[in-house]
Amino acid sequence: QSALTQPPSVSGSPGQSVTISCTGTSSDVGSYNRVSWYQQPPGTAPKLMIYEVSSRPSGVPDRFSGSKSGNTASLTISGLQAEDEADYYCSSYTSSSTLVFGGGTQLTVL
Amino acid sequence: QVQLQESGPGLVKPSDTLSLTCAVSGHSISSNNWWGWIRQPPGKGLEWIGYIYYSGSTYYNPSLKSRVTMSVDTSKNQFSLRLSSVTAVDTAVYYCARTHCSITSCYIDYWGQGTLVTVSS
């Protein structure tokens, strides 16, 4: 299985919105709504931010939202804050009953 | 509160077998969840290794399948990873995690803190 494709980096100023894309295939993202997103600040374990494409776990701000179209899922962070600076990873269930991660995107808050 | 804690050697010699255990507290490992391993080489991204159900069913990353074995010990509420014939490219932080899968979802909701395993002679 190949890793899902994410942009290496994105950036935005406080208050702005940024969107991170995650492109897979018809064997993973395109066939299932089992797409999730994780936030990983430096030196820490990842944290679940979005599951089932667009659902937020309790405690995750509603500034974080997810969507999907075809083989591409997206994470949008609105009202960007300094604390949002971190690496972000998407993940999808696959037709082989495995999971696959994206390569990760480094978010910089300018 | 579900907690996961990895344990095992921090240094493994090339060609040896890497062995890690994950102790689960605050939740029964015999629940409707998958228990898995993810690794992250220094400065790089996450790589899914595989997961195991309490019944012993497993799914592995195809790229690692020939070298990976996972097991579960319900009496100790823990699960384990063995990765054989390691080389320097297997140097990484290894995370254990709980994966919740259903008809509509499959996501990792709890992670261990991670443990660095270095492969070196």
Side-chain angles (χ1 to χ4, degrees):
Chain A
Q1 58 193 30
S2 299
L4 306 175
T5 301
Q6 298 181 231
S9 64
V10 298
S11 63
S13 299
Q16 289 186 330
S17 292
V18 295
T19 296
I20 301 172
S21 61
C22 170
T23 301
T25 69
S26 58
S27 296
D28 38 64
V29 176
S31 289
Y32 305 96
N33 285 333
R34 300 177 189 178
V35 175
S36 51
W37 289 90
Y38 303 88
Q39 177 193 64
Q40 186 182 35
T44 68
K47 172 188 174 184
L48 177 68
M49 303 301 284
I50 296 286
Y51 65 99
E52 286 180 21
V53 174
S54 59
S55 296
R56 277 179 287 104
S58 174
V60 173
D62 59 7
R63 302 184 294 104
F64 291 84
S65 62
S67 62
K68 191 187 86 166
S69 177
N71 293 341
T72 299
S74 298
L75 172 71
T76 298
I77 308 171
S78 58
L80 208 55
Q81 299 182 4
E83 67 198 49
D84 299 332
E85 190 161 286
D87 292 329
Y88 290 83
Y89 295 90
C90 61
S91 174
S92 175
Y93 182 80
T94 80
S95 58
S96 300
S97 301
T98 62
L99 293 181
V100 62
F101 283 103
T105 298
Q106 182 178 52
L107 169 63
T108 300
V109 181
L110 302 171
Chain B
Q1 178 73 349
V2 181
Q3 293 186 314
L4 299 95
Q5 179 67 57
E6 306 89 350
S7 63
L11 181 64
V12 181
K13 289 183 168 53
S15 78
D16 281 357
T17 296
L18 177 159
S19 295
L20 295 173
T21 296
C22 182
V24 180
S25 59
H27 190 79
S28 172
I29 203 169
S30 300
S31 60
N32 187 27
N33 291 287
W34 290 79
W35 304 92
W37 295 91
I38 299 94
R39 70 180 183 179
Q40 185 171 35
K44 296 188 178 181
L46 302 172
E47 180 179 32
W48 185 79
I49 300 173
Y51 48 26
I52 185 168
Y53 201 64
Y54 73 89
S55 63
S57 295
T58 56
Y59 290 96
Y60 300 141
N61 185 325
S63 67
L64 298 170
K65 188 174 184 177
S66 64
R67 298 194 292 130
V68 172
T69 303
M70 294 183 185
S71 60
V72 62
D73 187 336
T74 55
S75 66
K76 295 182 178 179
N77 218 44
Q78 64 185 33
F79 60 104
S80 299
L81 167 71
R82 288 173 59 86
L83 181 65
S84 64
S85 305
V86 297
T87 68
V89 298
D90 294 310
T91 293
V93 173
Y94 285 76
Y95 295 99
C96 62
R98 188 182 87 167
T99 305
H100 177 76
C101 287
S102 68
I103 292 176
T104 58
S105 62
C106 197
Y107 54 88
I108 299 168
D109 53 1
Y110 290 96
W111 298 71
Q113 65 184 24
T115 187
L116 175 62
V117 179
T118 301
V119 179
S120 174
S121 55

